């Protein structure tokens, strides 16, 4: 899932290397320091300046001639002229309106990148929430496995247990320690990715509650796409108006002076350029662009609707899976009952470790199902359906 959500207010915050950050603080860091967003902002600013260059009239043309006659009686002649061309697309403001709509679409494209980047950061935080929850369970089981291993060490010394049982307890502990290390490494890698998204700023997230991600989003993928569609169609219409205006004659006005030793001529000049053939294809192209913009808008909304329907189904299925696993987990044996059964000799150590391992795996699967549901739900919410 790439990138989609609305803009948060930007504020400067100080973060220590070991400080625990809230979701809002991390998202603000992403907005402020993300290098991809900075580069996109610079590109947007440069592109907007380039667009505005198209609204300017051509520069005036200044001419000067210094001529000598072929004999002294003719003297010298000096000509001076200043001319300015006016194309009607610029004079009537068509180019300016086109440039304005193009600048707005550039802003919208940047906003969409910002939303997508924010969604990517939230997805990382959801994954971190899962690993934080899982490591809580791992740490809980580590305590139990260490207590069990220590207990069997003492029983071995007292002659109440055999070496096989001790090795079994040690092996179970080693397995949990290995899984704990693996999950810790995965969590650390996610934190590195999050730090990269924050432009290198130190971040740490210890959250275990998914409710903190229920943030209101005034703009969604659908609303953003609809706004961009409307803007693209406006650009196409303005380009058509500009192309039609370019089919009209362009004017040239200026001042001219012709100076000789005996006479001096000064006055204004006017010119008219008639584009009889040069702009026909531009108008045709602009008409096709209007039609294309409409077709692309319809296709974009249709594609979003299909994605939303698929995402809705995925979210419902993930929710059902999470609920089913949670129900089964509630009906499963607890650590306390299994430990009591082991102490009273109702089950062997092998049976105990197998049952505990199955119970532990079920708890992790429940967390995975909840994570998958939350990721799907948040993306569905971002679609605006």
């Amino acid at each position: 899932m790439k990138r989609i959500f609305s803009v948060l207010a930007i504020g400067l915050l100080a973060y220590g290397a070991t400080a625990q950050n809230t979701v809002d603080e991390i998202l603000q860091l992403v907005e402020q320091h993300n290098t991809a967003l900075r580069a996109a902002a610079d590109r947007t600013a440069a592109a907007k300046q380039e667009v505005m260059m198209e609204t300017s009239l051509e520069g005036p043309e200044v001419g000067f001639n210094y001529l000598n006659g072929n004999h002294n009686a003719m003297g010298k002649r000096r000509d001076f002229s200043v001319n300015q061309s006016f194309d009607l697309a610029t004079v009537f403001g068509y180019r300016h309106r086109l440039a304005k709509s193009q600048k707005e679409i550039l802003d919208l494209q940047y906003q969409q990148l910002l939303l997508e980047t924010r969604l990517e950061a939230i997805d990382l935080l959801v994954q971190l929430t899962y690993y934080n929850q899982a490591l809580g369970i791992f740490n809980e089981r580590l305590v139990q496995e260490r207590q069990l291993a220590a207990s069997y060490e003492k029983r071995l010394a007292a002659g109440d247990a055999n070496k096989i049982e001790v090795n079994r307890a040690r092996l179970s502990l080693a397995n949990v320690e290995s899984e704990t290390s693996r999950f810790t490494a995965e969590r650390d890698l996610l934190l590195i990715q999050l730090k990269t998204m924050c432009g290198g700023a130190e971040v740490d997230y210890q959250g275990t509650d998914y409710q903190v991600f229920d943030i209101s989003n005034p703009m969604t993928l659908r609303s953003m796409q609809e706004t961009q569609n409307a803007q693209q169609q406006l650009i196409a219409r303005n380009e058509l108006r500009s192309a039609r205006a370019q089919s009209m004659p362009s004017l040239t006005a200026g001042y001219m002076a012709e100076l000789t030793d005996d006479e001096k001529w000064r006055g204004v000049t006017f010119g008219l350029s008639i584009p009889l053939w040069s702009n026909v294809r531009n108008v045709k192209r602009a008409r096709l662009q209007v039609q294309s913009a409409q077709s692309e808008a319809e296709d974009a909304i249709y594609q979003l609707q299909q994605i939303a329907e698929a995402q809705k189904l995925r979210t419902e299925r993930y929710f059902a899976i999470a609920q089913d696993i949670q129900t089964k987990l509630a009906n499963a044996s607890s650590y306390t009952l299994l430990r009591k059964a082991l102490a009273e000799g109702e089950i062997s150590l092998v049976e105990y470790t197998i049952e505990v391992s199955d119970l532990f795996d079920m708890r992790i699967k429940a967390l995975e199902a909840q994570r998958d549901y939350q990721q799907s739900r948040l993306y569905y919410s971002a679609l605006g359906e």
Side-chain angles (χ1 to χ4, degrees):
M1 293 184 285
K2 296 245 183 202
R3 312 170 170 183
I4 340 179
F5 273 105
S6 61
V7 186
L8 294 175
I10 296 177
L12 295 176
L13 299 170
Y15 295 85
T18 59
Q20 296 183 19
N21 305 101
T22 65
V23 171
D24 284 342
E25 289 172 346
I26 291 173
L27 294 179
Q28 287 177 9
L29 280 175
V30 170
E31 285 192 24
Q32 294 167 13
H33 303 298
N34 185 269
T35 54
L37 288 177
R38 284 183 178 180
D42 291 340
R43 287 196 304 270
T44 299
K48 289 166 73 172
Q49 288 298 318
E50 185 175 352
V51 164
M52 291 307 298
M53 290 175 61
E54 299 295 326
T55 64
S56 303
L57 291 170
E58 294 184 8
E61 181 181 348
V62 179
F64 178 76
N65 300 320
Y66 186 84
L67 308 175
N68 288 316
N70 58 2
H71 54 79
N72 293 335
M74 295 182 65
K76 297 179 178 62
R77 172 182 160 184
R78 296 172 298 280
D79 298 338
F80 176 76
S81 63
V82 179
N83 295 307
Q84 175 67 59
S85 297
F86 302 90
D87 67 285
L88 297 185
T90 302
V91 172
F92 292 161
Y94 296 142
R95 288 187 183 277
H96 179 75
R97 286 193 287 272
L98 175 60
K100 182 180 178 182
S101 57
Q102 288 174 331
K103 286 173 62 178
E104 289 176 357
I105 197 68
L106 287 169
D107 286 333
L108 287 171
Q109 290 170 351
Y110 174 77
Q111 292 300 322
Q112 180 167 349
L113 176 61
L114 184 59
L115 300 181
E116 292 172 350
T117 304
R118 186 170 183 262
L119 179 58
E120 185 179 351
I122 288 178
D123 186 66
L124 285 175
L125 290 170
V126 169
Q127 294 182 62
L128 278 168
T129 301
Y130 158 73
Y131 279 102
N132 291 338
Q133 292 176 338
L135 284 172
I137 295 177
F138 272 109
N139 290 331
E140 176 187 336
R141 192 179 175 202
L142 271 175
V143 172
Q144 296 171 347
E145 292 294 329
R146 285 167 180 163
Q147 290 175 348
L148 182 65
S151 173
Y152 270 84
E153 293 281 358
K154 291 179 180 178
R155 290 177 62 179
L156 177 63
D160 190 31
N162 57 48
K163 189 66 175 179
I164 294 176
E165 290 176 319
V166 172
N167 289 340
R168 180 70 187 182
R170 289 174 178 173
L171 182 62
S172 181
L173 173 59
N175 181 59
V176 176
E177 289 175 338
S178 174
E179 283 295 289
T180 303
S181 298
R182 185 175 68 84
F183 268 61
T184 302
E186 292 292 336
R187 180 187 180 278
D188 291 343
L189 287 174
L190 287 173
L191 280 174
I192 291 173
Q193 293 181 45
L194 190 61
K195 178 179 177 180
T196 300
M197 290 198 69
C198 294
E202 292 294 338
V203 291
D204 187 26
Y205 183 69
Q206 303 287 346
T208 57
D209 185 3
Y210 290 113
Q211 291 183 356
V212 296
F213 300 108
D214 292 332
I215 305 171
S216 60
N217 302 299
M219 295 206 71
T220 62
L221 265 179
R222 185 182 180 91
S223 62
M224 176 65 75
Q225 187 63 59
E226 290 173 344
T227 304
Q228 288 198 50
N229 289 344
Q231 200 63 32
Q232 290 286 11
Q233 293 179 67
L234 178 60
I235 288 174
R237 290 194 294 270
N238 284 334
E239 286 182 338
L240 178 58
R241 294 190 186 99
S242 179
R244 285 171 174 167
Q246 289 174 10
S247 298
M248 302 172 67
S250 60
L251 304 176
T252 301
Y255 167 82
M256 182 175 179
E258 182 179 310
L259 309 175
T260 65
D261 293 340
D262 299 326
E263 297 177 325
K264 292 178 175 55
W265 302 86
R266 297 182 179 87
V268 295
T269 62
F270 295 95
L272 188 66
S273 175
I274 303 175
L276 294 178
W277 306 282
S278 60
N279 202 48
V280 175
R281 294 187 182 276
N282 283 338
V283 174
K284 184 177 181 181
R285 175 186 58 82
R287 287 199 187 100
L288 292 174
Q289 284 181 334
V290 173
Q291 182 179 345
S292 174
Q294 177 65 32
S295 299
E296 289 179 1
E298 294 173 356
D299 177 66
I301 294 301
Y302 173 76
Q303 295 296 336
L304 269 181
Q305 289 173 344
Q306 298 305 305
I307 293 173
E309 289 180 9
Q311 193 64 30
K312 179 181 179 182
L313 178 61
R314 183 181 292 110
T315 302
E316 292 172 349
R317 295 286 175 84
Y318 283 165
F319 178 75
I321 292 171
Q323 291 294 101
D324 180 61
I325 294 178
Q326 197 64 41
T327 301
K328 292 177 179 177
L329 186 60
N331 297 327
S333 299
S334 67
Y335 286 126
T336 303
L337 291 176
L338 290 171
R339 192 64 181 268
K340 181 179 179 182
L342 176 65
E344 294 177 355
E346 296 178 3
I347 59 175
S348 67
L349 178 60
V350 172
E351 291 173 322
Y352 170 82
T353 55
I354 291 175
E355 289 291 332
V356 168
S357 179
D358 289 344
L359 179 60
F360 174 77
D361 290 342
M362 181 64 73
R363 292 181 69 183
I364 296 299
K365 287 184 182 299
L367 294 183
E368 290 175 353
Q370 184 66 16
R371 176 200 61 192
D372 294 342
Y373 164 67
Q374 293 294 337
Q375 286 179 309
S376 183
R377 179 184 68 85
L378 288 168
Y379 184 54
Y380 181 63
S381 174
L383 288 169
E385 295 294 328

